């Protein structure tokens, strides 16, 4: 009896597990726990027979003076624990690195004869040839026996996973494939080198090649750890591939449980890629690209939402950006009022009743082929806007907030060279503007949350939506405070005239001063005074509504906190004497942004 193997865990495998667990804990969801348990179960069940065979046939062994004693099918409990802890560590690293990714954007519809057929077959052939060679090594019973046993055990699983998830294994960024394989593998190579030198485990000399990757690391051990980490990551990728298919295609999978069964996951993976809805995939890709470019704060926050709710929220944001870009276009040939009317017409059609076709078939307004809203979007809007309009989940959202949003855009059209303050004369006007352009969007977000997590009483729903509406106004005040210089360069001043008078300024002088090359110090002090007043108003709305987040359905609370606090951190930065400015806007340093998000996941701000 000894403790050497247990010490390997205490020194090298348990500490990274604890560190990764602490870091990932606030991000962890029920689906993540299910995924971890699923992978660990498969790892243990699939490895025990193989490992037991190696020990019973004397291919490798554990000296009695390095293990505690208890075994399972001749395998020391420390070794069984290794199956668990390695899978846990690699899985946690993968989950952490993959969290920002919206997996459905990496789905690809396949067509007959395209490159994917050849990619799949090449991978399958390579795996099949490796299995054949491994079988020969085992049959020969020479110094390549251990190598052959490693390959003949691991590669069939890799072949299966490749056949099911080859698209994702190629498409996903290296941070979701190469990195979570390479880092744990390199780490375990170092651990194995130390353990082999101490004699914690031993490979019989007659069954190994004698080749080493570096002094102390047998090539078989290096390949073993590489392949086991490949198995873990391939399994995780296949799992995420399945959930991406489930979430992306409601036409194929109408309802998706919080914890999909293994049978449902396999059904998803077996859905032919030729049956994918490529318009939906492209529409989601376009929406994600817009979010990345236009709002880093909300892109970060979106990664904490789950499943179809995350997709719906991103598409909603994309619609708001599309509408704003069309109406606020700098293209001289673009007529803002026409786009405003077209958007109203599209909403009218989207919320209209179904009609009966000539053949008696009922045609919904957003029917993919004949719907009136669909046809109007394709005929009247530019290609890069069409899919966002078509994917907008109007069936889950009330129409009134959309019309109010368009009224907010209409207020923006009142700004001009002769009217730099536009419709913003009083604080009440600014409140109304914020309610229309941001309060409505926040209200729509709450509606989506309540749709995806049903069961909230109607009276409570109304309170939550009212609070969400006010929080949207808080975020808009923050936005205005941040963008004073940018808006001035566009000839706009959103500051109420009464506030400017208090600083002995007018809309014209305020804009002119901000557009100047080197504004005077006394003018900048007045600007900061105005900015701080905007921030005070922002925090007033924030304080009145922040408590409602804890009344949302539980799975949405932490993500909503991240969304709000990530943006309100901009306001907190602006309250600092020397805030960081980039392109005329205050910015939040990346590490601080991550800290704010991580802290928000832990619980309400104190």
């Amino acid at each position: 009896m000894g403790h050497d193997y247990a010490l390997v865990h205490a020194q090298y495998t348990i500490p990274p597990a604890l560190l990764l667990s602490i870091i990932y804990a606030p991000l962890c969801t029920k689906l993540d726990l299910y995924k971890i348990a699923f992978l660990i179960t498969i790892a243990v069940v699939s490895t025990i027979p193989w490992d037991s065979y190696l020990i019973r046939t004397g291919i490798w062994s554990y000296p009695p003076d390095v293990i505690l004693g208890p075994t399972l099918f001749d395998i020391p409990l420390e070794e069984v624990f290794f199956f668990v802890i390695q899978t846990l560590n690699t899985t946690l690293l993968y989950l952490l690195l993959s969290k920002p990714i919206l997996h459905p954007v990496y789905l690809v519809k396949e067509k007959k004869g395209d490159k994917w057929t050849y990619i799949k077959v090449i991978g399958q052939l390579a795996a099949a040839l490796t299995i054949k060679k491994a079988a020969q090594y085992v049959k020969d019973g020479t110094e390549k026996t251990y190598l052959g046993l490693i390959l003949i055990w691991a590669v069939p699983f890799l072949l299966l996973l490749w056949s099911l998830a080859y698209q994702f294994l190629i498409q996903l960024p290296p941070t979701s494939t190469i990195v979570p394989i390479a880092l744990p593998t390199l780490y375990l190579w170092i651990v194995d080198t130390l353990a082999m030198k101490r004699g914690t485990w031993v490979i019989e000399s007659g069954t190994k090649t004698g080749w080493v990757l570096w002094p102390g690391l047998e090539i078989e051990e290096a390949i073993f750890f590489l392949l086991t980490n490949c198995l873990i990551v391939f399994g995780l990728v296949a799992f995420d591939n399945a959930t991406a298919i489930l979430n992306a295609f409601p036409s194929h999978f109408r309802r998706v449980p919080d914890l999909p069964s293994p049978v449902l996951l396999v059904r998803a993976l077996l859905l032919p890629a030729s049956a994918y809805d490529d318009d939906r995939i492209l529409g989601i890709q376009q929406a994600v690209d817009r979010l990345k470019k236009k709002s880093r704060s909300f892109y970060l926050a979106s990664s904490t939402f789950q499943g179809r709710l995350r997709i719906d929220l991103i598409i909603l944001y994309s619609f708001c950006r599309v509408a704003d870009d069309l109406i606020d276009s700098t293209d001289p040939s673009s007529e803002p009022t026409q786009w405003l009317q077209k958007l109203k017409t599209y909403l009218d059609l989207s919320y209209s009743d179904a009609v009966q076709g000539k053949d008696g078939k009922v045609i919904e307004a957003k029917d993919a082929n004949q719907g009136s809203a669909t046809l109007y979007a394709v005929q009247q809007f530019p290609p890069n806007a069409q899919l966002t309009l078509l994917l907008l989940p109007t069936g889950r959202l009330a129409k009134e907030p959309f019309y109010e949003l368009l009224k907010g855009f209409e207020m923006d059209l009142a700004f001009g060279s002769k009217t730099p303050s536009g419709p913003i004369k009083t604080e009440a006007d600014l409140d109304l503007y914020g309610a229309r352009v941001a309060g409505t969007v926040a209200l729509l977000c709450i509606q989506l949350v309540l749709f995806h997590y049903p069961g909230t009483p109607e009276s409570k729903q109304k309170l939550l939506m009212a609070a969400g509406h006010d929080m949207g106004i808080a975020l808009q005040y923050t936005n205005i405070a941040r963008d004073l210089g940018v808006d001035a360069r566009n000839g706009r001043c959103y500051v109420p005239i009464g506030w400017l008078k208090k600083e002995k300024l007018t809309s014209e002088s305020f804009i002119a001063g901000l557009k100047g090359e080197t504004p005077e110090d006394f003018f900048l002090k007045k600007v900061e005074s105005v900015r701080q007043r905007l921030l005070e108003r922002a925090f007033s709305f924030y304080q009145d509504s922040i408590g409602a987040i804890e009344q949302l359905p539980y799975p949405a609370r932490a993500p909503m906190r991240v969304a709000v606090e990530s943006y309100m951190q901009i306001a907190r930065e602006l309250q600092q004497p020397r805030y960081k400015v980039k392109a005329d806007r205050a910015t939040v340093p990346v590490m601080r942004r991550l800290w704010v998000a991580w802290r928000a996941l832990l619980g309400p701000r104190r």
Side-chain angles (χ1 to χ4, degrees):
M1 177 178 175
H3 302 89
D4 279 15
Y5 201 164
L7 285 174
V8 169
H9 288 306
Q11 292 177 323
Y12 301 115
T13 65
I14 294 175
L18 291 174
L19 178 62
L20 287 168
S21 296
I22 291 169
I23 294 172
Y24 194 72
L27 295 162
C28 195
T29 65
K30 285 196 300 183
L31 184 62
D32 291 332
L33 293 174
Y34 177 59
K35 197 182 299 184
I36 291 169
F38 189 79
L39 264 292
I40 288 176
T41 301
I42 292 175
V44 172
V45 170
S46 63
T47 308
I48 281 178
W50 178 79
D51 203 329
S52 178
Y53 172 80
L54 293 182
I55 293 171
R56 285 186 287 107
T57 54
I59 290 173
W60 70 20
S61 61
Y62 302 88
D65 59 346
V66 302
I67 57 175
L68 295 174
T71 61
L72 179 66
F73 300 109
D74 297 318
I75 306 171
L77 289 186
E78 297 95 325
E79 177 76 353
V80 177
F81 182 72
F82 207 113
F83 308 157
V84 174
I85 201 73
Q86 180 188 353
T87 306
L88 177 63
N89 283 336
T90 302
T91 299
L92 286 172
L93 181 61
Y94 171 89
L95 292 173
L96 188 62
L97 294 173
S98 299
K99 196 66 176 180
I101 292 173
L102 183 65
H103 288 95
V105 304
Y106 294 100
L107 295 169
V108 180
K109 180 172 183 174
E110 293 183 20
K111 297 176 182 178
K112 189 175 181 180
D114 67 9
K115 66 174 184 178
W116 289 106
T117 302
Y118 301 104
I119 290 173
K120 180 180 180 180
V121 171
I122 289 170
Q124 291 171 329
L125 283 174
L129 291 172
T130 302
I131 294 170
K132 181 181 178 183
K133 195 68 175 176
Q136 187 63 49
Y137 289 162
V138 175
K139 183 180 178 181
D140 292 343
T142 62
E143 68 278 359
K144 293 182 180 177
T145 299
Y146 181 31
L147 177 59
L149 286 167
I150 292 172
L151 295 174
I152 208 166
W153 165 71
V155 178
F157 289 112
L158 293 175
L159 172 59
L160 174 63
L161 293 169
W162 171 265
S163 299
L164 293 172
Y166 58 94
Q167 271 196 4
F168 259 39
L169 289 166
I170 296 294
Q171 289 281 95
L172 286 177
T175 50
S176 290
T177 51
I178 296 173
V179 175
I181 291 173
L183 288 183
T185 299
L186 180 60
Y187 182 75
L188 289 175
W189 283 351
I190 295 170
V191 172
D192 186 76
T193 302
L194 297 173
M196 292 285 283
K197 286 181 176 179
R198 290 166 56 177
T200 305
W201 49 78
V202 178
I203 305 171
E204 293 303 316
S205 58
T207 60
K208 64 179 181 179
T209 62
W211 302 337
V212 295
L213 187 65
W214 60 56
L217 179 61
E218 305 280 354
I219 194 67
E220 291 89 349
E221 289 289 274
I223 291 173
F224 172 77
F225 286 117
L226 173 62
L227 290 180
T228 50
N229 281 314
C230 283
L231 285 168
I232 296 166
V233 172
F234 277 38
L236 290 164
V237 168
F239 193 108
D240 284 340
N241 194 349
T243 55
I245 293 167
L246 293 173
N247 290 324
F249 306 128
S251 59
H252 291 289
F253 303 94
R254 189 175 177 185
R255 293 174 182 267
V256 179
D258 292 339
L259 304 177
S261 68
V263 173
L264 183 58
L265 293 170
V266 172
R267 276 185 56 207
L269 289 171
L270 293 178
L271 179 71
S274 59
Y276 294 173
D277 183 344
D278 51 351
D279 282 344
R280 186 165 176 82
I281 295 170
L282 180 57
I284 295 171
Q285 290 171 344
Q286 291 175 346
V288 170
D289 287 342
R290 286 192 185 95
L291 185 59
K292 283 182 179 179
K293 291 175 183 176
K294 299 291 186 177
S295 178
R296 289 174 297 175
S297 297
F298 283 131
Y299 178 68
L300 174 66
S302 76
S303 65
T304 59
F305 288 95
Q306 300 176 55
R308 289 181 177 175
L309 172 58
R310 183 182 181 188
I311 293 173
D312 281 350
L313 288 170
I314 290 174
I315 291 171
L316 173 61
Y317 177 88
S318 182
F319 169 81
C320 296
R321 291 307 323 171
V322 164
D324 186 48
D325 290 345
L326 288 171
I327 294 168
D328 208 20
S329 175
T330 56
D331 184 354
S333 64
S334 176
E335 179 50 56
T337 55
Q338 288 184 7
W339 287 120
L340 193 62
Q341 185 55 52
K342 287 181 179 181
L343 287 165
K344 286 179 181 177
T345 302
Y346 176 74
L347 290 174
D348 290 340
L349 293 171
S350 295
Y351 284 99
S352 64
D353 295 331
V355 297
Q356 197 169 43
K358 294 179 181 179
D359 57 357
K361 182 182 176 182
V362 175
I363 302 173
E364 299 291 339
K366 296 184 78 171
D367 179 86
N369 298 311
Q370 303 177 64
S372 57
T374 303
L375 295 174
Y376 186 80
V378 172
Q379 293 166 3
Q380 299 295 326
F381 288 90
N384 64 351
Q386 292 170 7
L387 291 175
T388 286
L389 294 171
L390 297 177
L391 295 181
L392 185 67
T394 49
R396 300 162 200 170
L397 299 167
K399 63 182 179 181
E400 291 79 13
F402 284 114
Y403 289 107
E404 283 296 304
L405 175 63
L406 295 185
K407 287 181 181 178
F409 291 145
E410 200 168 4
M411 291 178 75
D412 277 325
L413 298 182
F415 286 92
S417 58
K418 295 182 179 180
T419 54
S421 62
I424 312 298
K425 310 301 180 188
T426 66
E427 186 177 284
D429 292 334
L430 189 52
D431 287 350
L432 176 62
Y433 174 75
R436 284 178 169 172
V437 299
T440 53
V441 179
L443 189 153
L444 290 167
C445 289
I446 300 298
Q447 287 185 359
L448 285 174
V449 168
L450 296 175
F451 173 85
H452 286 279
Y453 301 111
T456 303
E458 188 174 349
S459 57
K460 190 175 180 180
Q461 288 186 30
K462 291 180 180 178
L463 291 175
L464 290 172
M465 286 189 281
H469 181 267
D470 285 353
M471 184 60 78
I473 299 174
L475 301 186
Q476 184 60 25
Y477 264 97
T478 299
N479 194 48
I480 292 169
R482 180 194 65 181
D483 292 347
L484 289 175
V486 174
D487 291 331
R489 279 167 174 69
N490 292 326
R492 296 179 179 182
C493 176
Y494 288 94
V495 182
I497 292 174
W499 293 15
L500 293 173
K501 282 183 178 179
K502 188 176 179 181
E503 300 295 335
K504 298 181 180 179
L505 293 168
T506 63
S507 300
E508 291 81 1
S509 63
F510 189 74
I511 290 173
L514 285 172
K515 290 172 71 174
E517 291 293 328
T518 53
E520 298 288 339
D521 287 344
F522 77 94
F523 172 76
L524 292 177
K525 288 179 181 178
K526 292 182 177 184
V527 172
E528 286 308 308
S529 177
V530 169
R531 197 189 309 274
Q532 295 308 313
R533 189 166 178 181
L534 288 165
L535 295 173
E536 287 173 12
R537 192 76 176 141
F539 279 107
S540 175
F541 279 104
Y542 166 83
Q543 294 295 344
D544 289 344
S545 54
I546 187 63
I549 288 179
E550 305 313 311
Q551 304 303 314
L552 288 169
Y554 183 78
R557 291 176 191 173
M560 197 61 74
R561 267 188 246 116
V562 174
V564 169
E565 297 300 343
S566 295
Y567 211 82
M568 289 306 295
Q569 186 61 30
I570 297 171
R572 295 186 179 96
E573 296 291 320
L574 287 167
Q575 289 182 321
Q576 302 304 313
R578 294 182 179 179
Y579 49 83
K580 188 176 180 180
V581 177
K582 184 178 180 180
D584 279 339
R585 290 176 169 172
T587 60
V588 182
V590 173
M591 293 308 298
R592 192 173 305 161
R593 198 181 306 132
L594 292 173
W595 166 252
V596 168
W598 192 80
R599 178 62 187 83
L601 288 166
L602 291 174
R605 187 182 178 89
R606 302 299 181 188

